[in-house]
Structure formats: C-alpha cells, structure tokens
Amino acid sequence: ALAPAALAREALVAYRASEENVAADKVLARALRGESSFTDAERRVAADVFLGTATRLRRYEWICAQRGLCGAASDATAVAAALLRARDEDDGAYTWPADADERLSATSGAPLWLCARWRRDLGEAVAAAVADQSTRRGPV
C-alpha cells in the first residue's frame, strides 16, 4: 500500500503524462480506486496534495526551473517529486517572467493561453483576481 503522498505523486505523474488532457479529478479518482485500504483521512490528504499541486502546476513548474529542483531529471517520478517539493517550499520570493501573460500564468498557475485571454478580455487587475481565485486550493 502507498502512503498518501506517494499516491499523490503517482497521480501527478499520470496527470502530466496525459498532458493535462484528462481532468485532474478523474486522474485522482482512478488513483484512489486502486487504494481501497486508505482511510477517509488518508484519501483526503492524497486528494489535497494532488489537487493543490495540479491546480497550480504551471507555478510549481516555474519554481522548479528557478530553483533548479528538476535539474536534468527526465524520470517522471523524480519530476513529480520535485514539483511537490516546490509546492512545499513556495514562499513567493522569485523573479517572475517579464512578459505579462507569462507572469500571470507563472504566479497563478493558470494555463498561459487562458491568462492571455483573461488579460485581453478583462484587463490586468480583473484577470489577476480571476486567475488567483480560479487556482486557489478549494476544500476537499
């Protein structure tokens, strides 16, 4: 049996392997189905770790790159572990991208294409608020 953090890491590997074409909740449900021995508390921990990371994946990828956490790791499990480490170490003290769309995407974790659309349609301030609210960790 896996620990909740290990299950979250495996689910993150599967999510990134699908190139985010499969909804995060479906990836999580599939991973949890395979762990029938988990208590409700363990399931909540795994869900919180995975969904909290998947929601702001772009941000944690940026942090990994800035801090060199991923290095030259090509192993999906090592990259997922680095992303979870970035999530745990996220203190917001980074030099964010100069491009406004890239910066909004990296700071919020929302996809770049969506940040560009929000900025174009809603303006800078509203786009930032929408991006922040849409990528906050919700209750599990």
Side-chain angles (χ1 to χ4, degrees), residues 16 57-73 78-79 82-87 89 93-97 102 106:
R16 293 186 80 235
L57 188 58
R58 176 106 167 97
R59 178 183 180 94
Y60 301 132
E61 287 172 339
W62 177 262
I63 293 169
C64 275
Q66 292 300 299
R67 292 207 173 159
L69 294 175
C70 293
V79 171
L83 289 167
L84 292 171
R85 221 174 20 260
R87 175 184 162 266
E89 297 173 4
Y94 309 104
T95 303
W96 298 108
E102 283 278 341

Side-chain angles (χ1 to χ4, degrees), residues 1-13 27-28 31-32 34-53 80-81 84 87-88 137 140:
L2 292 174
L7 180 114
R9 186 176 55 246
E10 285 190 5
L12 190 56
V13 168
V27 172
L28 177 63
L32 287 172
E35 288 298 323
S36 59
S37 64
F38 272 20
T39 65
D40 287 344
E42 289 171 322
R43 295 171 82 75
R44 278 192 298 276
V45 167
D48 184 46
V49 170
F50 170 72
L51 293 173
T53 305
L84 292 171
R87 175 184 162 266
D88 293 340
R137 291 168 69 178
V140 178

Side-chain angles (χ1 to χ4, degrees), residues 64-138:
C64 275
Q66 292 300 299
R67 292 207 173 159
L69 294 175
C70 293
S74 59
D75 175 37
T77 303
V79 171
L83 289 167
L84 292 171
R85 221 174 20 260
R87 175 184 162 266
D88 293 340
E89 297 173 4
D90 186 3
D91 60 8
Y94 309 104
T95 303
W96 298 108
D99 177 75
D101 294 337
E102 283 278 341
R103 185 174 49 254
L104 182 57
S105 179
T107 58
S108 70
L112 178 60
W113 68 268
L114 193 54
C115 289
R117 181 174 291 167
W118 284 337
R119 285 188 65 254
R120 182 192 69 212
D121 296 348
L122 305 172
E124 189 74 35
V126 175
V130 169
D132 181 59
Q133 288 299 313
S134 70
T135 59
R136 280 189 187 264
R137 291 168 69 178

